[in-house]
Amino acid sequence: VKPGEWTKRKIAKAAASIYDPHGLISPFTVRSKIILQEIWRQKALDWDTHIPQAISDEWERWLEQVFVTQELEIARWTHYEPKCSFQIHTFCDASEEGMCCAVYLRVKTRKEIHTTLIAAKARVSPLKAESISRLELVACTLGTRLSYAVMDVYPSKVEDTFYWTDSTVCLHWILMPAKAFRAYVAHRVGEIQNFTEPRRWNH
């Protein structure tokens, strides 16, 4: 596509062409989703109308980095062996632009400790304005789901499973009965409490 000739349809197709099932390059791919969301804000644009130049320039800067990702090397061997002990650590965070989580496997061998990124997930924050605390709670929910999937492959004991968030509000919510809150918070806190031990959440 020539510069200045990008449309919503072409950008959506290009963004969807990146295959990253484990989310290992989520910090990169989520930027394309944020740009797409900005295009959706332009309600006057249909699928085949050229997008504004400012958004087009931002998209092309992102596109230039696609080729750099081919040079990334991400270790896939976790160093886990039958006699090794391991822990699963899940980190959750959010901002006005997006929500994310990452799951790491921490393996302790006889001589060393190895930490490997297993999976990650990122989502764009909804167009409808939400508080940062609510977005952080959604990130914690994403982390709960992702870690649960990882534990299908690496079954772990409760004491070897850790969840991390920098939101003290979310920690308070997770430690309280879900029914104490209104629907939005209650549903997500309930899911987190069903699949994790609240005491395993840390700041």
Side-chain angles (χ1 to χ4, degrees), residues 18-26 118-121 146:
I18 296 179
Y19 184 67
D20 181 31
H22 296 292
L24 300 179
I25 57 171
S26 288
I118 299 297
K121 185 177 288 291
L146 190 61

Side-chain angles (χ1 to χ4, degrees), residues 24 73-80 84-91 102-109 111-119 154 160 162 164:
L24 300 179
E73 294 183 1
I74 301 173
R76 301 311 300 141
W77 182 41
T78 63
H79 297 269
Y80 174 71
C84 297
S85 62
F86 70 89
Q87 297 174 341
I88 293 177
H89 290 260
T90 303
F91 294 84
V103 181
Y104 291 83
L105 192 72
R106 181 181 183 273
V107 176
K108 184 177 182 181
T109 64
K111 298 181 179 180
E112 297 178 295
I113 294 176
H114 302 273
T115 304
T116 308
L117 175 64
I118 299 297
Y154 297 97
D160 293 325
F162 301 84
W164 303 87

Side-chain angles (χ1 to χ4, degrees), residues 124-161:
V124 178
S125 298
L127 289 172
K128 180 182 177 182
E130 295 286 359
S131 68
I132 292 296
S133 295
R134 282 191 169 193
L135 296 177
E136 294 271 13
L137 183 62
V138 173
C140 292
T141 308
L142 290 175
T144 297
R145 295 171 183 172
L146 190 61
S147 65
Y148 189 75
V150 169
M151 284 187 282
D152 275 345
V153 181
Y154 297 97
S156 62
K157 300 176 182 177
V158 172
E159 59 268 25
D160 293 325
T161 307

